[in-house]
Amino acid sequence: AMSGTVERIPASLWWHSLHAVLWDTGERAGAAMMLDWRWVDLSGGFVTFRAETRKGGKRDRIHRVHETTLAMMRRLNLAQGRPTQGRCWPWSKHFTTLYYAYRRILLAANLPTDRMRKFHAMRRSAASYLEAAGGNATEFLDHSDRRTTKRSYLDPRICGGDVTACDVLFRPTGT
C-alpha cells in the first residue's frame, strides 16, 4: 500500500482512482487531471471530459465508469469534503512534476519508466483490450482515422493483428 498524501488526500486513493478512470475511459492524463467534479455523475457512474480539456478540443466525451471506479470516485470526493466543483485530482505543483512523481512510483514497483510505459500506456492497453473483446478502439479513443489507432495504439500481442496465411492455411503433413 502507498503511504502519504497527495494534496491532503491519501496517496493510494488519489493514484488508484486516477488509474481507474484512465483505464475505464482511455482518456489522456492531461484531460483526467482537468476533470472537475461538476462533470462527474457520482450516482449514475458517468464522467464527462469537456472539449476544452481534451487534445484537439473538438468535443465533449461522456464515459461510463465501472462500479469499482465509481466507488473510488465517491471515496475521493468524500476525502475532499464532498465538493461539487473543483478538480477531482488536485495538483498544486507544475503539471510536469506529475510525471516525475509517477516515475518514482514505477521505480519503487520495479517497473519500466520509459515514456512509453507511463500514463499513455494505460490508454494503449485499454484500447487494445477493448478491441480484443470486439469493441471499436478507434471510436473509444475518439480518433478520426483508424490507421492512427492501428499504427500507434493497438498491441497485436493483446488484440491480435491482421490474419496471416499461417493463421488460416492447412498444414502440410510429412517430414
Side-chain angles (χ1 to χ4, degrees), residues 42 45 134 149:
L42 289 173
T149 308

Side-chain angles (χ1 to χ4, degrees), residues 60-79:
D60 294 350
R61 291 286 292 188
I62 300 171
H63 296 275
R64 187 174 64 83
V65 296
H66 191 273
E67 61 190 44
T68 58
T69 302
L70 183 58
M72 278 187 267
M73 292 298 291
R74 288 179 181 136
R75 288 195 311 274
L76 181 66
N77 184 264
L78 182 61

Side-chain angles (χ1 to χ4, degrees), residues 5-25:
T5 62
V6 176
E7 306 291 334
R8 295 183 288 185
I9 299 165
S12 59
L13 176 60
W14 194 99
W15 287 102
H16 196 174
S17 59
L18 175 61
H19 278 91
V21 167
L22 292 174
W23 183 253
D24 286 355
T25 66

Side-chain angles (χ1 to χ4, degrees), residues 152-174:
S152 302
Y153 287 84
L154 298 181
D155 185 336
R157 296 169 299 176
I158 296 171
C159 59
D162 294 329
V163 175
T164 63
C166 70
D167 295 323
V168 296
L169 296 179
F170 71 92
R171 306 302 315 152
T173 58

Side-chain angles (χ1 to χ4, degrees), residues 22-23 25-29 54-55 115-116 118-132 136-161:
L22 292 174
W23 183 253
T25 66
E27 281 293 340
R28 292 174 176 86
R54 300 183 67 243
K55 182 179 176 181
R115 67 180 283 278
M116 297 302 288
K118 292 188 178 163
F119 292 113
H120 215 63
M122 301 262 316
R123 183 169 163 82
R124 286 189 303 272
S125 295
S128 294
Y129 281 106
L130 179 74
E131 186 85 12
N136 183 331
T138 303
E139 182 180 302
F140 176 66
L141 297 173
D142 200 23
H143 286 161
S144 57
D145 188 342
R146 174 75 178 166
R147 291 174 295 188
T148 300
T149 308
K150 287 185 75 174
R151 179 182 64 245
S152 302
Y153 287 84
L154 298 181
D155 185 336
R157 296 169 299 176
I158 296 171
C159 59

